[in-house]
């Protein structure tokens, strides 16, 4: 028979099963987003501890097309993308190289 926790003690919170982020794939990368999507972005549920590189791999984005990467508007250097963990509510935006003038 289970007994209730003693007063003054707290039970451990269950680990969060998923983290929800917004993924934005810009310009030609939009084609890599599955349906349903809203334009160039979608809500994405990921496992806690998921890195930017994990998301790039999940969507099979060609490495040559992953040029500019921002999390909540902050540039992420290429050498940090395999270690930068995405957190609840963040927005990951990825741009390919763009030429113009």
């Amino acid at each position: 028979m289970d007994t209730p926790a003693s007063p003054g003690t707290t039970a451990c919170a269950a680990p969060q099963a998923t983290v929800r982020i917004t993924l934005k794939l810009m310009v030609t990368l939009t084609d890599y987003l599955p349906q349903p999507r809203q334009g160039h972005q979608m809500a994405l549920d990921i496992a806690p501890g998921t890195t930017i590189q994990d998301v790039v791999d999940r969507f099979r984005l060609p490495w040559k097309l992953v040029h500019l990467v921002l999390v909540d508007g902050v540039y992420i250097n290429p050498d940090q993308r395999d270690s930068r963990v995405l957190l609840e509510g963040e927005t990951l935006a990825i741009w390919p190289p763009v030429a113009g003038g």
Side-chain angles (χ1 to χ4, degrees), residues 31-53:
D31 294 338
Y32 289 87
L33 286 175
Q35 297 294 342
R37 64 178 187 240
Q38 298 113 8
H40 63 274
Q41 68 182 25
M42 66 177 288
L44 181 63
D45 292 324
I46 57 175
T50 298
T51 66
I52 293 168
Q53 189 62 49

Side-chain angles (χ1 to χ4, degrees), residues 21 50 64 90 92:
I21 66 165
T50 298
K64 290 181 179 182
E90 289 186 319
L92 171 61

Side-chain angles (χ1 to χ4, degrees), residues 56-78:
V56 168
D57 293 344
R58 176 175 170 177
F59 286 88
R60 296 186 175 112
L61 302 177
W63 68 270
K64 290 181 179 182
L65 296 182
V66 178
H67 181 68
L68 178 64
V69 175
L70 303 176
V71 175
D72 288 344
V74 177
Y75 175 72
I76 307 298
N77 287 315

